[in-house]
Amino acid sequence: MKNILSPILAIVLFLSIQPFTLAAEETPEIPYFGIGATVQEKMEGEYLVQTEGAKEQEGFVYTPQEAFKSENIKMQITLMGKGRVILKLEETNARGQYIKEKTMEVELTEDWTAYEMTFTLESPSSQIDASVITKSKESADFTFKNLQIIEE
């Protein structure tokens, strides 16, 4: 009886896991993490952010994976939408401890508008989180593209 149950359990386990792994493969992973918001790719390289409006500072965050070689960096992004948002760069050390941040408030428009914000790191080994977040506690929809963190 033991010899029959093992193959049957293996088949049942395989069949129950397979739909979940297939579903995970169909959903492409995007490098932007929603903060009280959903982030969806509308078309290649263009993303829609829809905030819940439950609190201030909802939007998305992006953390570049590559290390920096210099202390001077620049955030570039193109935005479109309605309302006011805050562009934010936050520096942390290798242990995740806060070092400093810089913010810039912008008024969104119905046309694509490019924004830049420069930042001087305390150390090239620091981690940077780049965010676009809401200023007030209200739901907002905005679209972005061309987000880059480049060295100057």
Side-chain angles (χ1 to χ4, degrees):
M1 187 70 156
K2 275 186 176 179
N3 293 341
I4 295 173
L5 284 179
S6 293
I8 291 174
L9 286 174
I11 291 170
V12 169
L13 182 62
F14 175 76
L15 292 175
S16 65
I17 292 174
Q18 187 177 6
F20 296 113
T21 58
L22 290 176
E25 290 174 11
E26 293 172 11
T27 307
E29 193 171 313
I30 59 174
Y32 310 107
F33 179 74
I35 305 167
T38 58
V39 181
Q40 299 175 308
E41 189 168 22
K42 288 175 56 174
M43 56 181 62
E44 190 172 336
E46 192 174 302
Y47 299 89
L48 172 65
V49 180
Q50 296 176 301
T51 68
E52 297 168 359
K55 58 185 178 177
E56 295 177 356
Q57 300 188 8
E58 295 178 334
F60 76 92
V61 64
Y62 166 68
T63 305
Q65 299 303 308
E66 59 279 350
F68 298 108
K69 294 180 179 90
S70 76
E71 288 87 13
N72 297 313
I73 62 171
K74 180 179 0 180
M75 174 184 180
Q76 297 177 325
I77 189 168
T78 306
L79 293 163
M80 177 173 63
K82 190 175 181 182
R84 296 187 78 70
V85 294
I86 298 168
L87 307 182
K88 179 178 176 182
L89 289 171
E90 183 175 319
E91 180 180 7
T92 56
N93 66 16
R95 294 182 181 177
Q97 295 170 319
Y98 174 85
I99 297 173
K100 67 180 180 179
E101 69 183 44
K102 183 176 182 180
T103 61
M104 181 172 86
E105 190 174 321
V106 299
E107 180 75 36
L108 299 175
T109 66
E110 307 250 345
D111 298 317
W112 287 111
T113 306
Y115 299 95
E116 289 186 353
M117 186 167 61
T118 59
F119 191 83
T120 302
L121 298 166
E122 293 293 318
S123 167
S125 65
S126 294
Q127 177 177 305
I128 282 291
D129 291 329
S131 305
V132 178
I133 50 178
T134 58
K135 179 178 165 68
S136 59
K137 182 180 170 179
E138 60 183 84
S139 62
D141 294 352
F142 61 90
T143 307
F144 74 94
K145 62 182 181 180
N146 305 328
L147 173 58
Q148 296 180 22
I149 308 296
I150 58 173
E151 294 184 70
E152 290 194 295

